[in-house]
Every structure is written in C-alpha cells, then in structure tokens.
Amino acid sequence: MVNQCFGNKFQTIQATRICKYAIILCVCIFTIVITLSHFNSPIGQSDGLRGNFYTSISLRAELNSSVTVTDLKSALRKASMPNKTLIITTINAAWAKENSILDLYLESFRIGEGTQHLLNHLLLVAVDQEAFKRCQQIHPHCYILVKEGSDLSREKVFMSQGYLDMMWARILFLKHVLALGYSFVFSDADILWFRNPFQLFDEKADFQIACDRYKGNPHDLSNAANGGFNFVRSNERSIRFYEWWYESRRSYPKLHDQDVLNKIKSGKELFEIGLKMLFLDTKYVGGFCERRAGVKDVFTMHANCCKGMKAKIADLRLILQDWSSYRYLNGSSVHWRAPDACLHSWSATPKRMTSPTYKGVAEEAALNSRHK
C-alpha cells in the first residue's frame, strides 16, 4: 500500500513536470511563430504599421545605419499633418550650404501662394552631420540618416557610384516611412514650390509622380517619370511597390532609381501588386526638361535635366526672381528666363546618358550653341 501511494505520488509529480515542460515548449513555439510572422506577413496592414521589432531590425540592417525606430517615429510625428502626411526632402552638405540649393528651396515656400504653412510639415532628412547641423540652424524639423561606411556629404556627380548609393538609400528610407503608416510628398531640394500641389493629387491613386516628358494622359505608363517629386499613400500596395522597386536595382546595377522605375513600371509585377499609379502634368508640376509650366499655371518647378549644382543654383535664382516679379506686378505677363545655365550645362555630353530625356537636352543645347 505504501509503495503504491509513493508510486502514485511520483507519477503525479512526473505528470506535473511534463505538463510544465509542455507549456514552456508551447510558449516558445508560439513566440517563434509570432516573431517570424513579423517578417513574413505583408507590411502595411489596416493601420499601416509593421511591428517595431521588424522595423527596428530592418532600418538598421537594410540601411546599414544607426537609425532607431523611436527617433524616426518622433521626427515623422512632429512634422506630419493630422492625417499622417508630410513632405520629405533629403539633403547633403553640398546642397545645404548657405546660399546654396536648400536656401532657395525654403525661400520658394515663403514667397509662394498658400505655401508658407507647408514648412511646418516639411521634414529635412540629412545624410551627413554637416547638413544636419545646417538644418537645425534654419528649420524646425530635421532628421539625420547616416549611412555607415560611406560619404554622402559632397556633391554627387550624375551616375557616379556615390550618386547611385544616395538615390537607392533614399528609396529604402522612404519604404520604411510608408511601413510606419505615413504618407508623404517626396520632393528634391532643387524643386521650387509656388502653389500648394496637394490640390492636384487624385484621392484614389496610391502613387503619383512627376514627369520629365508628359504625353497628355495621367494613366499612360509610357510617360517619362521623374523620381524627384511624388506623392505616395501608405498602404500595403505602396509598400510592396517600394520593396519591388528597390529589389529591381539588382537587375539594373548601372542605373539609378528613376531609370529603373521607367524600366519596370510596365511590368506584370505592378499589375499583381495592384498599385494605382498616375503621372502629373508638366503644365502644373513643371521642370526644365519640358518647359510647359507658365507662371500662371505652375505649382512646382524642378531644375531637372541639368548637370551640376552651379547651373542649378543660377537658374533657380532666375526662377525665384521671375516669380517675385509676377507677384509684385499683380499677375502681369511674366515669362521664365530659365533654363539658361542648365541648358548649356549639357554642352559637354556626359559619357553615360541612359535616359533619352537627357540626350534631348544635350542635343538642344548643342543646337542652340550653333545658332549663337
């Protein structure tokens, strides 16, 4: 009887231990499954967020940076509008110097029609310490994104390796902004804002982008997209699109983000993702590639199809002066004097010109030089 009692008690203890081990094992398996689901589940759920655990690892690993989710969330929250939308512009030391491109960019908001308040929702993302310090001196919303092991502070020659690194780091960063649930207008700093472009955006589109050349139809995928200005809504489709765009760089290692986009935008992947892409009319979202935006129609003006910072600064100053004249003369007839320096910046044709747009500008510059 005693042995039987001890035996039953021993079996009870053993069963209890087995139950405890089983529970611990189940908890461990459940934790692993949940963790893996953060990596494998589609980003951009109904709230536009992926777990902090995933995002933290992704930001550090993919960007090879000391970026933290907490810092990024704080910067986005402070700059965003109530609907979690903001304007994002990347800068380096070369463009952020005093009396350089950044100063012209900010000035356009101050003297535009109904654009002053948009400065409250502009986040300047510096890619080096020098640009970050300058930003802190002149603007309330600054964020630093330092890519370890690379120097992004100097002016980047078009299509150089440094230029390509900076462009792709930008695409990767913007993907993470979308994953955190924020929609954005991305604007290059060499774009002047004269009117509020938010009234131009289609409420049903996921991704709306400027053009170097516009063919008259916002749905036409053969429009020559320009990655320097776009409006993107945060959702699962846009995040998947940015992931696909970034991964496509492997198929075109010698092209920058804009040329890769123009290669892949007609692919079956875009249809599978379900992204609704629209192209913005150059009559309103203007640029130097296709000079259709008159002073009375222009919302933004981009110093695109221009080689070198010196030429960009010269022509952007002309554009600002012409806009000021237009405002001072109360809508009287004023015509753009630019591009001038940018047009002639292509007189020496670059060795590598992958885009037909740039070839056209170079040919136009050469033709004009013959007539002078």
Side-chain angles (χ1 to χ4, degrees):
M1 179 70 69
V2 174
N3 290 337
Q4 185 177 357
C5 288
F6 276 108
N8 291 339
K9 186 175 182 180
F10 178 77
Q11 290 176 355
T12 302
I13 294 173
Q14 287 291 95
T16 302
R17 288 178 177 175
I18 291 173
C19 289
K20 287 181 179 179
Y21 292 144
I23 292 172
I24 293 172
L25 181 61
C26 290
V27 170
C28 291
I29 292 173
F30 178 76
T31 302
I32 292 172
V33 169
I34 292 298
T35 301
L36 291 176
S37 70
H38 281 284
F39 292 92
N40 296 326
S41 63
I43 38 185
Q45 302 294 339
S46 59
D47 62 353
L49 295 176
R50 210 174 195 181
N52 285 354
F53 181 70
Y54 163 80
T55 311
S56 179
I57 292 176
S58 297
L59 282 170
R60 291 173 180 271
E62 291 189 333
L63 290 171
N64 189 25
S65 168
S66 57
V67 167
T68 65
V69 179
T70 302
D71 291 342
L72 180 55
K73 276 186 172 182
S74 176
L76 294 172
R77 184 177 62 253
K78 290 176 181 177
S80 71
M81 303 173 192
N83 64 353
K84 298 187 73 174
T85 301
L86 70 158
I87 304 163
I88 297 177
T89 296
T90 53
I91 55 172
N92 65 358
W95 283 35
K97 286 182 180 178
E98 190 172 359
N99 297 320
S100 189
I101 287 177
L102 177 60
D103 287 343
L104 300 175
Y105 178 59
L106 297 178
E107 179 65 13
S108 71
F109 283 88
R110 299 186 187 106
I111 66 174
E113 294 179 357
T115 53
Q116 296 84 357
H117 73 283
L118 295 177
L119 286 171
N120 298 325
H121 306 295
L122 168 63
L123 178 63
L124 295 178
V125 179
V127 297
D128 58 73
Q129 290 287 348
E130 190 174 341
F132 183 61
K133 290 179 181 178
R134 179 80 208 292
C135 177
Q136 289 180 309
Q137 294 171 359
I138 61 175
H139 189 68
H141 303 301
C142 306
Y143 182 75
I144 184 163
L145 178 67
V146 178
K147 186 174 175 61
E148 296 171 2
S150 62
D151 179 12
L152 301 179
S153 61
R154 301 178 182 178
E155 180 186 2
K156 299 304 174 187
V157 177
F158 179 69
M159 292 308 298
S160 66
Q161 189 57 51
Y163 177 87
L164 295 176
D165 289 344
M166 188 161 61
M167 294 301 101
W168 287 116
R170 181 179 79 183
I171 296 298
L172 194 56
F173 173 75
L174 293 175
K175 183 198 80 170
H176 288 289
V177 172
L178 292 171
L180 287 171
Y182 287 87
S183 303
F184 59 80
V185 173
F186 176 81
S187 174
D188 278 342
D190 60 344
I191 296 177
L192 304 180
W193 289 49
F194 295 125
R195 295 183 174 94
N196 187 342
F198 280 91
Q199 59 189 291
L200 298 175
F201 301 141
D202 189 306
E203 294 182 357
K204 297 180 180 179
D206 302 310
F207 180 85
Q208 300 171 67
I209 189 167
C211 299
D212 282 342
R213 305 286 183 187
Y214 182 71
K215 297 191 174 182
N217 182 353
H219 301 276
D220 188 348
L221 292 175
S222 65
N223 284 307
N226 184 292
F229 185 90
N230 50 73
F231 175 53
V232 192
R233 286 189 168 86
S234 175
N235 54 44
E236 184 176 352
R237 295 181 299 276
S238 63
I239 299 168
R240 287 179 60 196
F241 170 69
Y242 265 76
E243 288 178 339
W244 170 53
W245 186 1
Y246 182 73
E247 289 304 317
S248 295
R249 80 195 188 286
R250 302 180 189 276
S251 301
Y252 305 95
K254 295 183 179 181
L255 301 186
H256 60 73
D257 59 317
Q258 178 176 306
D259 280 346
V260 170
L261 174 61
N262 280 312
K263 290 280 188 182
I264 67 175
K265 66 179 188 276
S266 299
K268 64 177 183 179
E269 290 86 353
L270 187 65
F271 177 78
E272 293 173 352
I273 291 172
L275 184 89
K276 183 176 182 181
M277 178 185 294
L278 291 180
F279 298 88
L280 298 168
D281 193 338
T282 51
K283 180 179 179 180
Y284 307 107
V285 181
F288 293 169
C289 296
E290 188 173 69
R291 298 182 294 281
R292 295 179 60 234
V295 183
K296 293 182 179 180
D297 299 315
V298 69
F299 281 72
T300 63
M301 180 63 77
H302 190 182
N304 53 0
C305 292
C306 184
K307 184 185 178 185
M309 187 170 67
K310 184 177 180 181
K312 286 179 180 286
I313 291 173
D315 278 352
L316 288 174
R317 281 178 177 159
L318 285 179
I319 293 290
L320 279 175
Q321 291 168 9
D322 292 342
W323 172 260
S324 296
S325 296
Y326 168 76
R327 295 293 302 277
Y328 178 77
L329 296 173
N330 197 26
S332 296
S333 179
V334 174
H335 300 283
W336 302 124
R337 290 175 289 166
D340 181 34
C342 284
L343 190 64
H344 296 95
S345 69
W346 292 97
S347 296
T349 305
K351 294 180 179 179
R352 183 187 299 161
M353 292 215 296
T354 57
S355 169
T357 299
Y358 296 115
K359 293 181 182 178
V361 172
E363 290 167 359
E364 184 178 350
L367 182 64
N368 289 343
S369 65
R370 295 192 193 104
H371 288 293
K372 286 189 174 182

